[in-house]
Amino acid sequence: MEERSAGAVIFLKTNELMFLILNYPSGHWDFVKGNIEKGETHQETIIRETREETGIQDLKIINGFNKEVQYSYYRKQTKINKKVFYYLAETNTKKITISIEHIGYKWLSFSDMIKTLTYESSLQVLKEAKNRLKIIN
Ligand code: ATP
């Protein structure tokens, strides 16, 4: 079975750059992401999922950043091949309201993100996002 999600490295500019990370019920810490519904563009998925999963309404997707992550996992003996398309997005909303899909969240600096992200693939996305932000700012 195939699964396709879109996600975002969401950042907030304070004194320091802060990044948003969610705690998934299965235990891992990862970016906001969610299933791409039929007929949706990746951008639409990200805007919708970010609203649902965090309450953020002012998300601004940054042009020119797009990274793909692939992994597979088993759900009731069925192998799921999953692709997640990551984008980079800015918010000014610090207050987060998580949904029942997650068990926690954190705003973290880059160095704390490195320590907290569960998967190497997401760590790679974060590093590339950070490089991209250096170019922008
Ligand atoms: P979505 O947020 O896209 O709706 P989900 O909450 O249904 O996703 P995933 O976060 O994809 O589920 O997690 C499904 C399974 O895959 C879990 O067992 C998780 O540990 C594993 N998993 C999640 N991300 C990765 C990754 N980057 N590399 C390897 N395994 C992962």
Side-chain angles (χ1 to χ4, degrees):
M1 240 187 83
E2 309 290 309
E3 219 171 74
R4 298 286 176 270
S5 279
V9 178
I10 299 176
F11 67 95
L12 173 83
K13 284 183 195 153
T14 54
N15 298 334
E16 206 181 351
L17 262 183
M18 302 301 275
F19 296 91
L20 184 60
I21 192 171
L22 298 177
N23 196 2
Y24 284 72
S26 42
H28 57 291
W29 287 87
D30 211 344
F31 301 113
V32 169
K33 62 180 166 60
N35 200 30
I36 302 169
E37 289 180 0
K38 232 183 174 167
E40 253 183 353
T41 65
H42 294 176
Q43 280 78 3
E44 286 167 344
T45 304
I46 288 165
I47 299 289
R48 177 181 55 73
E49 290 285 349
T50 301
R51 277 198 185 135
E52 291 171 5
E53 297 185 345
T54 70
I56 291 173
Q57 304 270 7
D58 68 339
L59 200 70
K60 195 179 104 199
I61 296 175
I62 309 290
N63 281 332
F65 184 91
N66 174 208
K67 303 287 162 205
E68 201 178 306
V69 164
Q70 291 192 43
Y71 52 93
S72 45
Y73 66 96
Y74 282 87
R75 191 166 59 214
K76 294 179 192 157
Q77 335 245 320
T78 305
K79 190 176 186 190
I80 316 280
N81 295 309
K82 181 154 181 173
K83 274 188 187 165
V84 186
F85 303 94
Y86 280 110
Y87 292 78
L88 179 60
E90 181 169 13
T91 182
N92 290 311
T93 310
K94 194 161 190 185
K95 185 184 178 295
I96 301 298
T97 310
I98 54 167
S99 70
I100 52 160
E101 287 177 56
H102 299 100
I103 55 176
Y105 80 91
K106 281 178 181 168
W107 278 112
L108 296 176
S109 65
F110 179 73
S111 57
D112 286 336
M113 278 296 275
I114 285 178
K115 294 179 213 151
T116 310
L117 277 167
T118 302
Y119 294 107
E120 180 60 34
S121 49
S122 292
L123 198 57
Q124 212 49 47
V125 173
L126 175 73
K127 286 179 181 166
E128 290 177 35
K130 179 89 183 324
N131 281 335
R132 165 84 189 159
L133 288 170
K134 263 188 229 148
I135 298 164
I136 294 173
N137 294 301

